[in-house]
Amino acid sequence: MAARRPKSLTPVRRTTPTLEGVEAPRRAATTVSEQKINQYRKRRYQALHAETEAANRRRAAGKATARDRIEMLLDDGSFVELDVFAAHRAHGFGMEERRISGDGVVAGFGEIDRRPVAVYAYDATVYGGSLGEVTAEKIVKVQELALRNRVPIIGINDSGGARIQEGVVALAGYADIFLRNVRSSGVIPQLSVIAGPCTGGAVYSPAITDFIFIIAGQGYMFITGPEVIRVVTGEAVSFDELGGGDVHNATSGVAHFLPQTEEACAAGVRKLLSYLPSSNGEAPPFVPTSDDLERADPELQTIVPESPNKPYDMRELVSRVLDNREFFEVQPFFAPNIIVGLGRLGGHVVGIVGNQPKVLAGAIDINASVKAARFIRFCDAFGIPIISFVDVPGYLPGRDQEHGGIIRHGAKLLYAYAEATVPKLTVITRKDYGGAYCVMSPKQMGADLNLAWPTAEIAVMGPEAAVNIIYKRDLAGAKDPAGRRKELVAEYTAKFANPYVAAERGTSTT
């Protein structure tokens, strides 16, 4: 059987249009300005969409770029970038052939909740985010503009440290940044995000800032890396063990927050800024509340136990006092025997400091002193009133505390309270014993108003210890020592420890 021949397609017959009398439109000649604008647009597109090998690897790994992080943080479409085309001026080591726009940092201004902020983010796709002369100049420029315009500044760190190829000018760049950090301290809020490595001298800029966020499993800070430690001391330690988020949040106290993802970190930064003023010349943001200003909470009567030795959670008490029961805790993992954080009363921002009876019975140690003192001084700098919830048996005793400088560090807390000029309110919920009474914002240290819970006790020491010392002979000669002790404890409490009885006698310390 012969193969079937394919049918031929019917040819399309086209009629040639007549062009008689038709003229092509005349196109105006491109001006010099338009040509330069088009060149600028091309250069800008290339700078913002650099297809470098490092950038492609980062995208393939699903990691956020510097601009992604800024967009995640700021209001949509609000970012205005500075010095997009800046490039290094270094020579040698092949640097002349590798001039990349931006030079390892993205910097500029934007808005968070329609409030202006300054921001810079190291770009790990450009020389590993290392800091060179031009990189530092860009950061210093945005720091100075933020200080001049009195707006908060946020730094996102993901850097390999100083750029070795540029030598000492890179180190000088760090010094320039540190100087601006110090000049801005207490004037504008400074926040740091550790989204990747932050090593060597680079760690000191975040350390000077007010608050540090370390993204869990991703960010880390240390002065000397694991490899150097292994060579010098023979100790094998991983990046996370040496300077990961868990270490700096729970052990060293360097960091304040431990978000689990970059999205959670951006949300945390925005939340924190909602409590902070743009500068020390402004009032913290006021947020109207639907809570009744004269509200009462019957459960507050049952939170504090009658027994002075029974633990309870001070966070539960604090949250029930604040508007909408919202307490934004700072450094929740470090020195948990004292809590600090931010909240609102009647829509106004307040700083909270409170002993935590669940941990070490609320006793003050070295870490608690340093943690609370720094927070109090921050609140004082930015006009945030301080409310102290006191339930403290005293300073934590022990050789380690004495040798570690509890006297020196404990004095920082005393100094911070005495120095603060913002409104200070103190609420004694249960125990307020010994030297800790003097430290936890009594009226003699400048507190504006001191209140006592019905369960409050104020004394040189607890009734049990006082009776052992004062009535030692009476107890030794008593026929019923247990019964006699109970009577003496009740007598001591009524005469000295209970502020309501003391008030009737005209000797109240509240």
Side-chain angles (χ1 to χ4, degrees):
M1 183 176 179
R4 182 180 297 177
R5 293 174 60 187
K7 293 181 180 181
S8 60
L9 299 176
T10 304
V12 178
R13 300 183 184 276
R14 291 188 175 88
T15 304
T16 304
T18 176
L19 300 178
E20 186 177 352
V22 178
E23 295 182 3
R26 291 187 178 182
R27 185 174 180 180
T30 305
T31 64
V32 175
S33 295
E34 190 175 356
Q35 290 176 5
K36 290 185 176 180
I37 289 174
N38 288 334
Q39 291 173 2
Y40 162 78
R41 287 171 176 163
K42 182 179 179 181
R43 287 184 61 198
R44 180 176 174 79
Y45 181 86
Q46 291 173 343
L48 298 181
H49 301 82
E51 295 297 329
T52 62
E53 184 180 348
N56 291 333
R57 284 200 307 267
R58 192 170 189 85
R59 293 190 188 98
K63 294 183 179 179
T65 64
R67 289 185 176 85
D68 290 339
R69 287 166 175 161
I70 290 175
E71 290 176 4
M72 203 181 300
L73 181 64
L74 302 180
D75 294 346
D76 292 341
S78 68
F79 182 54
V80 178
E81 187 171 346
L82 302 178
D83 296 332
V84 178
F85 306 121
H88 69 77
R89 298 184 286 268
H91 296 275
F93 306 102
M95 295 291 285
E96 301 91 338
E97 302 173 0
R98 301 178 60 206
R99 298 189 187 278
I100 303 174
S101 296
D103 200 47
V105 69
V106 179
F109 288 81
E111 293 183 347
I112 291 180
D113 295 332
R114 303 184 70 179
R115 295 170 60 199
V117 296
V119 62
Y120 64 89
Y122 285 92
D123 187 351
T125 68
V126 179
Y127 302 110
S130 59
L131 183 131
E133 181 183 16
V134 174
T135 316
E137 288 175 354
K138 290 180 64 175
I139 295 174
V140 167
K141 175 187 283 189
V142 79
Q143 284 181 306
E144 292 187 340
L145 287 171
L147 182 58
R148 189 182 309 163
N149 291 280
R150 296 296 193 263
V151 298
I153 185 168
I154 305 162
I156 303 174
N157 294 266
D158 188 353
S159 170
R163 192 172 298 167
I164 299 174
Q165 297 92 325
E166 297 196 27
V168 73
V169 294
L171 298 179
Y174 276 129
D176 285 334
I177 294 170
F178 301 159
L179 178 62
R180 274 70 182 184
N181 284 134
V182 173
R183 287 179 175 173
S184 300
S185 182
V187 181
I188 57 174
Q190 301 180 84
L191 279 61
S192 295
V193 174
I194 312 300
C198 186
T199 62
V203 300
Y204 288 112
S205 177
I208 299 171
T209 61
D210 300 305
F211 298 99
I212 299 176
F213 293 74
I214 296 186
I215 300 174
Q218 185 172 320
Y220 48 87
M221 302 172 70
F222 47 71
I223 294 177
T224 305
E227 184 60 25
V228 176
I229 291 177
R230 186 188 64 80
V231 172
V232 175
T233 68
E235 180 185 3
V237 61
S238 68
F239 285 95
D240 287 330
E241 291 172 340
L242 183 62
D246 291 335
V247 170
H248 287 310
N249 271 270
T251 305
S252 71
V254 169
H256 301 78
F257 302 98
L258 185 64
Q260 297 300 306
T261 64
E262 298 211 25
E263 291 79 6
C265 181
V269 171
R270 293 174 66 94
K271 180 72 171 177
L272 175 59
L273 281 175
S274 72
Y275 291 100
L276 307 182
S278 293
S279 71
N280 63 357
E282 297 183 11
F286 174 81
V287 177
T289 177
S290 58
D291 280 357
D292 182 3
L293 297 182
E294 300 296 331
R295 61 187 179 270
D297 189 343
E299 293 187 27
L300 283 174
Q301 300 180 17
T302 62
I303 291 178
V304 181
E306 292 184 8
S307 170
N309 300 320
K310 188 174 180 180
Y312 64 97
D313 191 351
M314 185 65 80
R315 293 188 191 91
E316 178 69 16
L317 189 151
V318 169
S319 64
R320 288 181 176 274
V321 171
L322 298 175
D323 290 351
N324 304 315
R325 296 191 178 181
E326 290 185 5
F327 175 50
F328 187 77
E329 189 172 0
V330 175
Q331 280 190 304
F333 307 110
F334 179 69
N337 47 317
I338 201 163
I339 61 172
V340 299
L342 298 162
R344 282 186 168 87
L345 274 179
H348 295 279
V349 177
V350 293
I352 301 295
V353 178
N355 307 110
Q356 176 57 287
K358 285 181 63 176
V359 182
L360 299 177
I364 302 173
D365 63 356
I366 291 172
N367 290 342
S369 300
V370 174
K371 170 182 171 179
R374 179 165 181 170
F375 181 76
I376 291 166
R377 300 193 73 180
F378 172 84
C379 291
D380 185 46
F382 290 97
I384 300 174
I386 301 167
I387 302 177
S388 304
F389 290 86
V390 180
D391 188 345
V392 59
Y395 275 95
L396 185 68
R399 182 174 59 180
D400 292 341
Q401 289 292 309
E402 297 293 349
H403 291 184
I406 185 63
I407 299 173
R408 173 167 53 94
H409 292 293
K412 294 177 182 177
L413 181 55
L414 185 152
Y415 193 98
Y417 268 124
E419 180 190 41
T421 57
V422 294
K424 291 176 287 187
L425 172 67
T426 303
V427 181
I428 303 169
T429 63
R430 194 170 57 175
K431 301 185 297 292
D432 198 1
Y433 295 159
Y437 164 81
C438 301
V439 175
M440 289 302 297
S441 193
K443 67 179 183 181
Q444 293 83 2
M445 288 289 291
D448 298 285
L449 180 65
N450 284 45
L451 303 175
W453 217 262
T455 51
E457 290 183 358
I458 305 170
V460 175
M461 60 182 65
E464 292 282 350
V467 165
N468 286 340
I469 294 173
I470 299 173
Y471 300 103
K472 186 176 182 180
R473 292 183 179 178
D474 290 359
L475 289 172
K479 296 181 179 178
D480 181 10
R484 180 60 176 153
R485 179 188 298 275
K486 189 175 180 179
E487 292 175 4
L488 293 173
V489 166
E491 179 184 356
Y492 179 87
T493 302
K495 285 185 177 181
F496 301 106
N498 190 302
Y500 294 98
V501 175
E504 293 175 1
R505 298 171 63 239
T507 58
S508 175
T509 56
T510 58

